[in-house]
């Protein structure tokens, strides 16, 4: 990508110290006390950088190695990992672009005289988003420099349990040794390599945010990429999602199906219970996709400009030579196995973030786990990471924020008889004048049934769901009860006040539609 | 409270109760110390007679509110017989065992003053004094007791609510659901400019709802600017049409007015579009638009008349100025506007008017957003200033003159400095007064039944159960005197209390500036949005103040308010995982204390 190359060249001058570091780093495998670093972090994503910065602040000698293997389509990016480059950040910005599209449609109702329809220019959006991402890449490098963390842009693999080696751009081999090593290499999108044409013609979330041209009519065989399909539809593209089974596995299923309903009513097409079998390029340049309908057994085809695979992610562990260090991985997922202290099977090697088995794949969890780990290593702390009640938000066109247990999980743990679910269908005030449909704006709180009715989970579907959910996550962390939430005064008129007005339980069978003020 | 010595009102007429507020009465709690709102400063009766009066009015309140009250002693066989009688009739009783409360002897004394009966049991049914054990059984045999039990009251209604705003309506609907016969009186006295509106009160008609919709319209203006940066393409100059917006908003409000009437009808609440005022105890006069008068009686009343905007009392203000009562339905664009005042109403209105591209000036007498955290208030002000709102500080208007009629016309405003003799003059199309609001409590006959109001503010003092000094009259909403139940007030008073108790140095304040992700690509300014929490060092760093300045502040604050109710601490904030990328997550990563003086400007992403 030309744009990237330019940006990296621009950095060259300021980072001349790197060459010296490389020279300094070439040493033999070292014994304890003579190792190059107190801490070596493999992977420069959110988790890895948090570890490195925290350790540097505690006065330790730290190095970070980071390398982005280009995607099969040739996309690559700078320092900062998935979140900054091909995850949360560009995703939410493109989501914002789609939301703005909705607001432009609302504007005439509010007296703004805008001629409709307003066309969208992918190129302009992508460039603006990419520029912001590049400024973040730059910011991360500056922060590392400020804290005297050595940064190596090399692809590292283990030589022994204290040493990794990598090859620099010029072909020179570098050996780095450290007392403690943290693996934070994250994951990359999975390709369905068994499907003909998948690798050649398909793209993934690694590529979509860096496309210079609009992806056009797109097709997502997916369980998880509702967010991408949402914003693509929102900026006016013809988008189809193919789902093998259920959407948003692991999330509350009632909420998930409402997310889908909302998307379907706003123009995203869904093909459910279908499995793709091949992708071919037509002479005109478009892609022809063939799939099998699992229920009827029939084959069908469609023509698209872009095929986006979003069928899960695989951890980036294969090239690490983990067996040389003796680090165990799960045979099923290839993810690294750790204990509650984030330690792997090798006591001084740790892992944080998406590369770890059984952890939520979320930026803030990786950051917090990383910081706590470093504080335990160098700061004399003994605090462990608490993975319960992690809040998160899915930025689908109608956003879904949640914290705590899903209704299914609450029932499974406590039994139907011991769970009370309060819920409401509400209409955001902003939707009224704009004449928007609010059928899927919904909130539900899952509580224990016995007084004081401890809150087990909160699920919110509506605008600004992330902002709404964050504070309630605190409440749940404080052990909030239904009674306490009901005693909180609402902020009027907001969507989040619906949470403190939840009066109708599912068990009562009453209509949960909020009417009036 | 300066009433003559205790009299003995008839048992069925609790309305003659001495002028003290009664507290929450249930069982032994009747003798708990006077409510925390009891005022100690008033001259007049000595402490003991005041305490007695307090007790008396509590007892009357208890009698007033209960279907059956039995003053009893736990070992008394007669009392037991009476209790058994009522329980065999399936009637729930409020029983007060005088031998099990600290001050039973005094209760018995006061009871004997009220009823001329010294012994227990002493029984009241539907506010009527039945007597002791023998009389109760006689009444049972004659059928009088059953009749008393059936006959809820001789009043037209169980409850009449004066004022059909948010507080009044929710109260009406709740009482109706509980099976009570309820009436709502609502009447909007037109503003000096002639604006009036439908059912639903301030919030729906001239408050929160139209305000937030106009705020949303202004945000959309910003969104339109942003959207170009996000790839949406349109080149023409986008103009804002006031009439289109106002019409859409007024349509929505009409649908809400209609919805309220419908929901009152569904719940069989009588709604009368008349002005209500007390004429005697338990009786109210309702005057409709045509001046026809009707009288209604009720066992209990709720005052929910709310507030209306205040005028300056200067030449030309009522003739030419408008208030928030008029703005939201103004049939024409207000044009160049002077907003007088620095309340949240003033700043919100100034903000959205400027958002529509109007020339807006705010005239401020002293400080912005009195009662709010002043650092946050100043930041709000400077953000507005950067976005084109002009501020004239330390000035007050002294005269408004009309230069030209029209829609809008032209007004000349003369103002003088609050600090010197300097005067200034300005010409505006519209002058919007937002200098405060006055309670509508002075013209509803409260003096006729002895409901006390704060003479200065017009607000009504109530106890913990929203009861006024007259036991059967309650009050809700904006007219309550210093009720700390509103979120911002609670936060602020908690903070001030902490300051008084511990001195400011025992607080720890964490803060940061932040840049909402949505603003980055849009090229909107960095280091404008601000987050701050205030912790009490001596209470495990408990969070006692929460402030955020940025987009969706309402949505962000709500959940944290719930968490503060649950005893939120800084540690718990740190332990909570952020939702990425949102604005709310900045509160989970606050590291810099204000006292450290470290730089809080943001350079990169965490």
């Amino acid at each position: 990508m030309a744009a990237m190359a330019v940006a990296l060249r621009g950095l060259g001058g300021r980072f001349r110290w790197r060459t010296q570091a490389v020279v300094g780093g070439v040493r033999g495998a070292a014994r304890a006390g003579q190792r190059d670093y107190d801490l070596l972090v493999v992977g420069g994503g959110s988790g890895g950088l948090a570890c490195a910065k925290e350790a540097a602040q505690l006065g330790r000698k730290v190095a970070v190695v980071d390398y982005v293997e280009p995607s099969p389509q040739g996309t690559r990016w700078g320092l900062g990992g998935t979140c900054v480059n091909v995850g949360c950040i560009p995703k939410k910005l493109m989501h914002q672009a789609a939301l703005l599209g909705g607001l432009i449609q609302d504007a005439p109702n509010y007296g703004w005289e805008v001629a409709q329809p307003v066309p969208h220019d992918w190129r302009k959006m992508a460039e603006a988003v990419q520029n912001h991402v590049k400024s973040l890449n730059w910011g991360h490098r500056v922060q590392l420099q400020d804290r005297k963390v050595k940064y190596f842009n090399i692809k590292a693999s283990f030589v022994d349990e204290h040493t990794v080696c990598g090859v620099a751009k010029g072909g020179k081999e570098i050996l780095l040794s450290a007392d403690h090593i943290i693996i934070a290499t994250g994951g990359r999108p999975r390709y369905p390599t068994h499907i003909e044409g998948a690798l050649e013609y398909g793209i993934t979330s690694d590529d979509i945010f860096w496309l210079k041209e609009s992806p056009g009519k797109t097709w997502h065989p997916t369980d998880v990429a509702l967010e991408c399909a949402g914003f693509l539809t929102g900026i006016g593209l013809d988008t189809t999602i193919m789902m093998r089974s259920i959407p948003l596995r692991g999330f509350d299923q009632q909420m998930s199906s409402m997310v889908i309903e909302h998307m379907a009513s706003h123009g995203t097409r869904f093909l459910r219970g279908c499995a793709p079998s091949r992708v071919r390029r037509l002479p005109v340049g478009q892609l022809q996709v063939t799939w099998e309908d699992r229920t009827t057994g029939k084959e069908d085809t469609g023509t698209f400009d872009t095929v986006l695979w979003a069928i899960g992610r695989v951890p980036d562990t294969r090239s690490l030579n983990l067996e040389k260090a003796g680090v165990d991985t799960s045979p099923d997922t290839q993810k690294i196995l750790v204990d509650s202290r984030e330690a792997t099977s090798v006591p001084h090697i740790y892992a944080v973030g998406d590369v770890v088995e059984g952890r939520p794949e979320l930026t803030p969890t990786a950051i917090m786990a990383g910081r706590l780990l470093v504080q335990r290593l160098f700061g004399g702390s003994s605090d462990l990471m608490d993975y319960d009640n992690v809040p998160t938000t899915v930025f689908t066109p109608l956003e879904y924020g949640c914290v705590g247990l899903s209704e299914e999980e609450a029932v499974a743990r406590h039994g139907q008889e011991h769970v009370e679910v309060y819920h409401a269908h509400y209409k955001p005030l902003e939707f009224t004048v704009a004449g928007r449909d609010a059928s899927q704006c919904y909130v539900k709180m899952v509580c224990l049934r016995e007084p004081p009715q401890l809150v087990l989970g909160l699920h919110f579907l509506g605008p600004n769901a992330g902002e709404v959910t964050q504070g309630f996550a605190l409440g749940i962390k404080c052990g909030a009860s239904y009674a306490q939430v009901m005693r909180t005064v609402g902020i009027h008129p907001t969507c989040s006040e619906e949470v403190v007005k939840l009066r109708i339980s599912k068990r009562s069978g009453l209509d949960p539609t909020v009417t009036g003020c | 409270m300066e009433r003559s010595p205790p009299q003995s009102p008839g048992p069925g007429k609790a309305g003659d109760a001495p002028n003290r507020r009664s507290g929450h009465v249930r069982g032994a709690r009747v003798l708990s110390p006077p409510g925390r709102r009891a005022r100690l400063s008033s001259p007049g009766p000595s402490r003991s007679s005041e305490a007695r009066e307090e007790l008396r009015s509590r007892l009357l309140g208890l009698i007033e509110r209960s279907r059956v009250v039995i003053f009893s002693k736990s070992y008394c066989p007669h009392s037991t017989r009476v209790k058994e009688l009522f329980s065999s009739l399936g009637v729930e009783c409020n029983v007060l065992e005088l031998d099990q409360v600290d001050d039973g002897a005094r209760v018995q004394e006061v009871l004997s003053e009220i009823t001329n009966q010294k012994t227990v049991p002493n029984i009241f049914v539907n506010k009527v004094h039945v007597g002791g054990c023998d009389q109760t059984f006689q009444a049972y045999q004659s059928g009088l007791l059953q009749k008393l039990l059936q006959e809820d009251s001789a009043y037209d209604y169980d409850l009449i609510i004066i004022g059909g705003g948010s507080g009044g309506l929710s109260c009406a609907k709740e009482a109706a659901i509980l099976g009570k016969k309820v009436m709502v009186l609502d009447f909007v006295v037109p503003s000096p400019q002639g604006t009036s509106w439908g059912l639903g009160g301030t919030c729906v008609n001239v408050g929160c709802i139209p305000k937030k919709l106009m705020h949303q319209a202004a945000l959309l203006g910003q969104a339109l600017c942003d959207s170009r940066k996000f790839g949406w393409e349109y080149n023409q100059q986008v103009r804002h049409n006031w009439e289109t917006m106002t019409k859409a908003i007024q349509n929505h409000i009409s649908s809400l007015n209609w919805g309220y009437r419908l929901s009152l009808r569904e719940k069989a609440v009588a709604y009368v579009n008349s002005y209500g005022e007390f004429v005697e105890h338990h009786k109210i006069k309702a005057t409709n638009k045509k001046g026809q008068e009707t009288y209604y009686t009720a066992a209990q009343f709720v005052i929910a008349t709310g507030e209306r905007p205040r005028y300056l009392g200067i030449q030309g203000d009522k003739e030419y100025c408008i208030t928030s009562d008029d703005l939201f339905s103004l049939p024409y664009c207000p044009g160049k506007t002077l907003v007088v005042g620095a309340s949240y109403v003033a700043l919100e209105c100034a903000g959205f008017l400027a958002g529509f591209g109007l020339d807006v000036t705010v005239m401020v007498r002293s400080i912005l957003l009195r009662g709010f955290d002043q650092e946050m208030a100043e930041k709000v002000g400077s953000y507005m200033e950067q976005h084109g709102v002009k501020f004239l500080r330390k000035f007050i208007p002294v005269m408004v003159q009309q230069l030209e009629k029209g829609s809008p016309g032209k007004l000349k405003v003369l103002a003088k400095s609050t600090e010197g003799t300097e005067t200034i003059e300005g010409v505006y199309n519209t002058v919007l007064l937002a200098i405060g609001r006055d309670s509508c409590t002075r013209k509803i006959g409260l003096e006729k039944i002895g409901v006390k109001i704060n003479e200065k503010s017009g607000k009504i003092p109530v106890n913990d159960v929203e009861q006024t000094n007259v036991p059967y009259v309650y009050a809700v909403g904006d007219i309550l005197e210093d009720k700390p139940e509103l979120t911002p007030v609670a936060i602020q008073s908690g903070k001030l209390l902490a300051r008084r108790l511990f001195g400011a140095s025992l607080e720890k304040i964490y803060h940061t500036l932040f840049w909402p992700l949505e603003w980055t690509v849009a090229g909107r300014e960095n280091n404008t949005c601000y987050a701050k929490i205030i912790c009490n060092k001596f209470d495990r760093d408990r969070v006692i103040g929460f402030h955020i300045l940025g987009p969706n502040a309402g949505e962000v604050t709500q959940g944290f308010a719930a968490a503060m109710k649950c005893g939120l601490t800084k540690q718990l904030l740190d332990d909570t995982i952020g939702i990425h990328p949102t604005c709310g997550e900045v509160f989970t990563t606050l590291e810099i204390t204000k006292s450290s003086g470290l730089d809080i400007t943001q350079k990169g992403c965490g």
Side-chain angles (χ1 to χ4, degrees):
Chain A
M1 302 205 65
M4 277 304 292
V6 171
L8 287 176
R9 232 177 286 132
L11 297 177
R14 305 233 357 211
F15 279 82
R16 196 153 301 143
W17 55 271
R18 232 173 69 193
T19 11
Q20 290 157 9
V22 169
V23 174
V26 182
R27 285 192 208 164
R31 288 172 299 281
Q34 302 177 326
R35 297 189 188 109
D36 304 333
Y37 297 97
D38 297 321
L39 176 67
L40 174 67
V41 179
V42 184
S46 316
L49 292 177
C51 291
K53 286 188 266 182
E54 190 76 19
Q57 215 148 21
L58 291 167
R60 298 299 172 142
K61 200 176 167 200
V62 187
V64 172
V65 297
D66 185 57
Y67 180 81
V68 180
E69 187 78 51
S71 78
Q73 300 301 324
T75 312
R76 47 178 303 166
W77 49 86
L79 184 62
T82 303
C83 168
V84 170
N85 294 285
V86 289
C88 322
I89 300 294
K91 170 196 79 188
K92 191 168 179 194
L93 287 171
M94 292 199 179
H95 170 63
Q96 176 70 8
L99 289 182
L100 285 169
L103 294 179
I104 291 172
Q105 287 174 20
D106 289 355
N109 292 308
Y110 282 92
W112 294 101
E113 295 172 337
V114 190
Q116 310 277 349
V118 176
H120 185 261
D121 181 352
W122 172 279
R123 211 188 266 251
K124 195 164 175 199
M125 168 188 73
E127 200 187 310
V129 169
Q130 287 157 19
N131 281 340
H132 178 65
V133 168
K134 283 172 203 161
S135 78
L136 293 177
N137 296 148
W138 169 252
H140 280 306
R141 295 185 68 156
V142 171
Q143 283 177 11
L144 289 185
Q145 195 181 2
D146 283 351
R147 292 174 199 204
K148 311 228 172 347
V149 174
K150 300 283 187 207
Y151 164 65
F152 299 95
N153 184 209
I154 56 170
K155 183 175 179 177
S157 59
F158 279 91
V159 177
D160 64 42
E161 57 173 36
H162 279 290
T163 315
V164 301
C165 93
V167 180
K169 254 198 203 109
K172 196 182 265 178
E173 192 172 78
I174 303 169
L175 283 175
L176 299 167
S177 63
D179 294 340
H180 301 276
I181 298 174
I182 296 174
I183 303 169
T185 47
R188 298 292 290 270
R190 183 193 302 276
Y191 265 94
T193 42
H194 60 282
I195 296 172
E196 181 194 329
L199 197 62
E200 283 164 270
Y201 305 124
I203 66 165
T204 67
S205 60
D206 277 358
D207 309 298
I208 185 85
F209 305 111
W210 294 91
L211 290 181
K212 278 183 285 181
E213 299 296 335
S214 166
K217 183 182 179 188
T218 59
W219 181 75
H220 310 236
T222 174
D223 277 350
V224 292
L226 297 177
E227 294 174 327
C228 288
F231 70 69
L232 293 175
T233 310
I235 58 171
L237 301 182
D238 180 342
T239 309
T240 306
I241 292 183
M242 177 170 291
M243 286 194 300
R244 201 182 43 199
S245 56
I246 58 166
L248 296 173
R249 189 181 297 277
F251 286 89
D252 187 282
Q253 280 307 297
Q254 183 195 5
M255 303 304 282
S256 307
S257 57
M258 291 175 85
V259 167
I260 300 290
E261 264 172 47
H262 179 266
M263 289 180 69
S265 69
H266 285 73
T268 306
R269 269 195 292 247
F270 285 88
L271 290 167
R272 305 186 78 150
C274 294
S277 44
R278 65 180 176 274
V279 182
R280 281 191 184 141
R281 188 179 285 284
L282 298 173
V284 285
Q286 284 191 306
L287 302 172
Q288 186 192 56
V289 182
T290 309
W291 64 84
E292 187 196 339
D293 187 323
R294 287 270 172 99
T295 43
T296 61
K298 273 190 201 151
E299 240 188 30
D300 211 340
T301 62
T303 311
F304 301 89
D305 297 314
T306 300
V307 174
L308 176 78
W309 302 106
I311 53 168
R313 298 176 68 85
V314 286
D316 224 353
T317 50
R318 252 164 297 178
S319 60
L320 284 173
N321 269 337
L322 289 175
E323 58 288 349
K324 284 258 176 77
V327 172
D328 289 342
T329 55
S330 154
D332 298 333
T333 62
Q334 272 76 53
K335 288 191 173 188
I336 297 174
L337 301 168
V338 299
D339 61 14
S340 62
R341 298 172 303 116
E342 326 295 348
T344 66
S345 50
V346 183
H348 66 270
I349 301 179
Y350 307 83
V352 296
D354 296 359
V355 77
V356 180
E357 174 75 11
R359 298 283 194 241
E361 294 186 0
L362 298 169
T363 297
T365 48
I367 291 174
M368 190 180 286
R371 280 194 184 148
L372 289 171
L373 166 62
V374 169
Q375 282 162 11
R376 288 195 300 273
L377 289 179
F378 305 120
S381 154
S382 58
D383 291 346
L384 293 177
M385 173 73 185
D386 175 9
Y387 285 97
D388 280 339
N389 295 326
V390 172
T392 189
T393 293
V394 184
F395 292 101
T396 39
L398 194 63
E399 299 170 7
Y400 166 33
C402 66
V403 54
L405 302 185
S406 65
E407 189 176 344
E408 293 84 10
E409 184 63 30
V411 167
R413 284 198 201 174
H414 300 281
Q416 186 82 52
E417 267 316 290
H418 300 285
V419 172
E420 192 81 284
V421 177
Y422 294 92
H423 65 160
H425 280 285
Y426 67 97
K427 185 159 193 170
L429 180 62
E430 298 85 335
F431 280 29
T432 56
V433 165
R436 283 210 226 175
D437 173 42
S439 341
Q440 284 89 21
C441 290
Y442 178 72
V443 53
K444 84 175 171 184
M445 189 153 71
V446 182
C447 307
L448 279 179
R449 200 174 171 193
E450 288 81 14
Q453 300 191 290
L454 207 68
V455 180
L456 301 173
L458 177 72
H459 303 270
F460 180 94
L461 203 54
N464 302 306
E467 309 296 358
V468 172
T469 311
Q470 184 73 73
F472 288 102
L474 254 307
I476 290 182
K477 195 124 199 141
C478 300
S481 65
Y482 172 72
Q484 280 169 317
V485 175
M486 288 306 109
R487 279 204 302 273
T488 304
V489 178
I491 300 176
H492 190 59
T494 61
C495 294
S496 56
E497 71 175 324
E498 302 300 339
V499 177
V500 302
K501 294 191 329 200
L502 285 170
R503 290 287 190 277
I504 292 181
S505 70
K506 272 198 174 175
R507 187 170 269 113
S508 74
L510 294 172
D511 178 12
T513 307
V514 174
T515 52
C517 191
Chain B
M1 257 183 298
E2 294 80 18
R3 286 276 292 249
S4 52
Q7 328 142 341
S8 292
K13 294 180 81 187
D16 292 338
N19 215 353
R20 276 296 296 169
R21 283 161 284 138
S22 70
H24 194 77
V25 190
R26 191 178 297 147
R29 252 198 274 173
V30 71
L31 291 176
S32 63
R36 60 184 164 87
R37 291 170 173 280
R39 283 168 297 171
L40 303 168
S41 56
S42 61
S46 69
R47 266 191 71 195
S48 70
S49 79
E50 187 175 332
R52 174 177 286 239
E53 218 181 332
E54 163 98 0
L55 174 59
R56 178 191 183 84
S57 105
R58 283 182 184 209
L59 290 179
L60 287 171
L62 175 66
I63 292 161
E64 182 72 36
R65 280 193 316 277
S66 313
R67 196 171 166 210
V68 177
V69 193
I70 305 172
F71 295 96
S72 149
K73 286 186 180 166
S74 58
Y75 54 78
C76 165
H78 304 291
S79 300
T80 308
R81 277 183 64 209
V82 171
K83 284 181 244 172
E84 282 166 2
L85 172 66
F86 282 107
S87 98
S88 76
L89 293 171
V91 174
E92 252 186 344
C93 307
N94 229 330
V95 180
L96 189 70
E97 303 287 4
L98 299 185
D99 58 321
Q100 289 178 352
V101 297
D102 300 339
D103 219 356
R106 286 188 49 218
V107 173
Q108 212 166 343
E109 253 174 66
V110 174
L111 266 179
S112 83
E113 279 170 20
I114 297 174
T115 63
N116 246 336
Q117 177 190 330
K118 287 181 182 157
T119 56
V120 290
N122 195 342
I123 294 111
F124 290 82
V125 175
N126 274 327
K127 305 168 207 91
V128 176
H129 180 227
V130 178
C133 177
D134 290 347
Q135 289 99 317
T136 305
F137 273 91
Q138 274 165 23
Y140 172 58
Q141 271 142 26
S142 71
L144 174 67
L145 185 66
Q146 292 85 328
K147 208 172 154 220
L148 278 175
L149 280 169
Q150 271 169 17
E151 202 175 63
D152 242 353
S153 82
Y155 300 119
D156 303 339
Y157 290 93
D158 295 315
L159 178 65
I160 290 182
I161 292 158
I162 311 173
S166 316
L169 290 179
S170 66
C171 186
K173 286 186 248 176
E174 199 65 26
I177 289 168
L178 294 168
K180 297 291 173 195
K181 197 176 169 200
V182 184
M183 167 177 271
V184 171
L185 290 172
D186 187 56
F187 188 83
V188 180
V189 178
S191 76
Q193 294 296 316
T195 313
S196 81
W197 49 86
L199 184 63
T202 302
C203 166
V204 172
N205 294 287
V206 290
C208 320
I209 300 292
K211 169 197 84 188
K212 189 159 183 199
L213 289 171
M214 290 204 177
H215 171 63
Q216 176 70 9
L219 289 182
L220 285 173
Q222 180 68 58
L224 287 171
C225 293
D226 287 1
S227 66
R228 288 199 184 91
K229 299 248 171 63
F230 279 93
W232 295 99
E233 292 191 312
Y234 52 96
N235 289 320
Q236 83 275 31
Q237 172 97 29
V238 181
R239 298 170 60 90
H240 185 260
N241 185 319
W242 174 272
E243 289 84 358
T244 310
M245 171 189 70
T246 317
K247 214 172 134 194
I249 291 175
Q250 289 303 320
N251 280 343
H252 176 62
I253 291 174
S254 303
S255 77
L256 291 177
N257 296 147
W258 174 246
Y260 282 126
R261 295 188 67 156
L262 214 62
S263 76
L264 288 185
R265 196 179 308 164
E266 273 169 9
K267 299 197 166 72
V269 173
Y271 163 64
V272 178
N273 185 202
S274 291
Y275 187 87
E277 59 192 302
F278 286 98
V279 285
E280 60 184 75
H281 274 298
H282 292 281
K283 190 166 184 183
I284 202 157
K285 179 172 82 177
T287 311
N288 72 7
K289 238 183 262 173
K290 294 175 194 152
Q292 289 163 332
E293 294 175 357
T294 318
Y295 292 85
Y296 301 99
T297 60
Q300 313 210 61
F301 287 82
V302 172
I303 307 168
T305 46
E307 298 179 321
R308 295 291 290 272
R310 185 178 301 159
Y311 278 82
L312 285 162
I314 59 167
Q315 193 192 328
D317 70 341
K318 287 204 175 168
E319 292 96 309
Y320 308 123
C321 300
I322 65 165
T323 68
S324 57
D325 277 358
D326 310 297
L327 178 67
F328 302 113
S329 57
L330 206 63
Y332 51 85
C333 179
K336 184 181 177 191
T337 303
L338 174 71
V339 179
V340 181
S343 61
Y344 73 90
V345 180
L347 296 193
E348 286 175 345
C349 293
F352 64 69
L353 292 175
F356 303 147
L358 302 181
D359 179 337
V360 180
T361 306
V362 181
M363 186 178 288
V364 183
R365 192 186 56 190
S366 58
I367 59 167
L368 301 182
L369 297 174
R370 185 179 302 278
F372 288 86
D373 187 287
Q374 279 302 301
E375 184 188 22
M376 301 307 279
E378 281 305 319
K379 282 183 188 291
V380 169
S382 51
Y383 182 88
M384 289 175 68
E385 220 156 1
Q386 278 165 29
H387 286 76
V389 178
K390 283 169 279 196
F391 282 87
L392 280 171
R393 311 280 293 243
K394 312 256 181 221
F395 273 96
I396 48 169
V398 289
M399 190 175 68
V400 181
Q401 270 180 336
Q402 190 173 52
L403 298 179
E404 256 175 52
K405 284 192 173 182
S407 308
K410 252 188 200 164
L411 302 171
K412 186 169 89 176
V413 180
L414 188 70
K416 74 168 176 26
S417 165
T418 56
E419 291 176 325
T421 52
E422 192 191 346
T423 59
I424 47 168
E425 229 179 65
V427 176
Y428 303 92
N429 296 117
T430 300
V431 177
L432 174 73
L433 301 181
I435 52 169
R437 300 173 63 83
D438 290 320
S439 301
C440 304
T441 53
R442 297 190 200 268
K443 289 178 186 162
I444 53 173
L446 291 180
E447 69 288 349
K448 296 245 170 70
I449 56 165
V451 173
K452 243 189 195 330
I453 63 171
N454 178 323
E455 280 308 326
K456 211 171 145 218
S457 66
K459 298 218 169 206
I460 302 180
V462 294
N463 65 11
D464 290 346
V465 292
E466 264 80 43
Q467 194 174 26
T468 68
N469 65 306
V470 175
Y472 69 91
V473 179
Y474 296 77
V476 297
D478 294 351
I479 53 172
L480 295 190
E481 185 172 68
D482 48 55
K483 265 299 198 191
E485 283 305 314
L486 290 169
T487 309
V489 183
I491 291 171
Q492 184 64 16
S493 59
K495 189 173 113 180
L496 291 175
L497 179 66
R499 270 206 190 136
R500 282 199 302 275
L501 291 179
F502 311 115
S505 65
L506 304 187
E507 288 168 1
K508 231 185 315 185
I509 298 173
Y510 293 88
H511 65 163
T512 187
L513 290 159
F514 65 98
W515 198 18
L517 181 62
E518 300 84 340
W519 289 23
T520 56
V521 163
R524 284 157 78 174
E525 55 280 74
N526 193 354
N527 293 317
T528 304
C529 295
Y530 180 65
K532 164 166 105 168
I533 60 163
I534 301 158
C535 305
N536 180 351
K537 280 193 219 171
F538 283 74
D539 188 8
R540 300 171 298 119
D541 271 347
R542 205 162 59 77
V543 178
I544 55 174
F546 177 96
H547 304 269
I548 180 167
L549 191 65
N552 299 307
E555 308 294 1
V556 174
T557 308
Q558 184 71 76
F560 288 94
M564 282 171 71
K565 263 238 155 2
C566 305
L568 179 61
T569 62
K570 176 69 170 75
Q571 184 62 49
L572 281 161
L573 267 178
D574 294 345
D575 290 349
T576 298
I577 291 158
I579 299 177
H580 192 60
T582 63
C583 296
E585 69 176 325
V586 299
F587 287 97
T588 63
T589 55
L590 288 173
E591 279 177 347
I592 299 179
T593 60
K594 216 169 181 182
S595 55
S596 74
L598 291 171
D599 182 20
I600 52 167
T601 53
Q602 294 294 301
K603 281 148 201 123
C605 164

